[in-house]
Amino acid sequence: MIKSTSYKPRAFNLSGLKGISDKTMETHFKLYEGYVKQTNELSEKVAELLGKGKVDQDQFPDYSELKRRLGFEYNGMVLHEYYFENLKKDAGGDPAPSSPFHRQAEATFGDYKLWKADFMGIGKMRGVGWAVCYQEPGNGRLSNHWITLHETGNVAGYKPILVMDVWEHAYLFDYKPADRPKYIEAFFANIDWKSVAQRLEKKSPKKK
Ligand SMILES: [Fe+2]
């Protein structure tokens, strides 16, 4: 019998953010806990199906469905942890020009403002998902991507550096759906750049 890992929801102290209410965050934490629970439950069910050392043919449809759902729930859990971890109370807006992230954005995009325009642009895209800034492991370059739901669009092997949830549940108590750009401004006012910098590998982008 394989052993499935049992995850525990992490606790984040994020009351008093600018432009994102405590009610939103409390609701969001509950949703996140749901992803952790589902990840554990699906993993256990998969482990049960594998209990006899193979998946029986008549159980294959169930096994396939569990594995598909696991991709959604697992990414939902992990992306929320990145998201909560890159927020903090009393944050100061954009990173300082001398900060590691600012320098990396400049090195990749030529200008921090261009990186930001790209990341914010992704956040404003229609649909349900995430804007994620990754670092390419081979050369250290930053790369911004749209993730549909939680699992479609993640780049294999790339490391999430800054993660922004743009599902409506992330802001609907505070802003109308059409006002997503206001939520994105609020997100930027609360970024914990120190936490972001800790995720960065110290690599300079190579000139191509
Ligand atoms: Fe969310």
Side-chain angles (χ1 to χ4, degrees), residues 100-187:
F101 184 86
H102 197 288
R103 287 208 304 258
Q104 201 72 352
E106 268 188 345
T108 306
F109 284 76
D111 187 338
Y112 169 78
K113 282 185 192 152
L114 266 184
W115 168 83
K116 188 174 178 179
D118 187 42
F119 187 83
M120 288 181 118
I122 292 168
K124 291 170 192 168
M125 283 168 57
R126 291 172 65 78
V128 176
W130 301 76
V132 178
C133 173
Y134 295 92
Q135 188 176 30
E136 191 176 336
N139 58 19
R141 292 170 67 87
L142 298 181
S143 193
N144 295 326
H145 294 264
W146 166 257
I147 310 305
T148 301
L149 300 176
H150 305 309
E151 74 277 38
T152 306
N154 292 291
V155 186
Y158 279 33
K159 189 174 179 194
I161 303 298
L162 180 68
V163 172
M164 177 168 68
D165 192 340
V166 288
W167 283 57
E168 285 181 354
H169 66 240
Y171 60 91
L172 212 54
F173 289 131
D174 307 322
Y175 307 99
K176 294 187 182 104
D179 286 336
R180 196 198 282 184
K182 288 184 185 169
Y183 157 71
I184 294 172
E185 291 290 345
F187 171 82

Side-chain angles (χ1 to χ4, degrees), residues 5 11 22 29 41 48 70 78 84 102 114 117 133 152 159 169 178 184 187 195:
T5 305
D22 291 355
F29 292 144
E41 286 181 9
E48 273 172 37
L70 192 55
V78 172
F84 296 139
H102 197 288
L114 266 184
C133 173
T152 306
K159 189 174 179 194
H169 66 240
I184 294 172
F187 171 82
S195 167

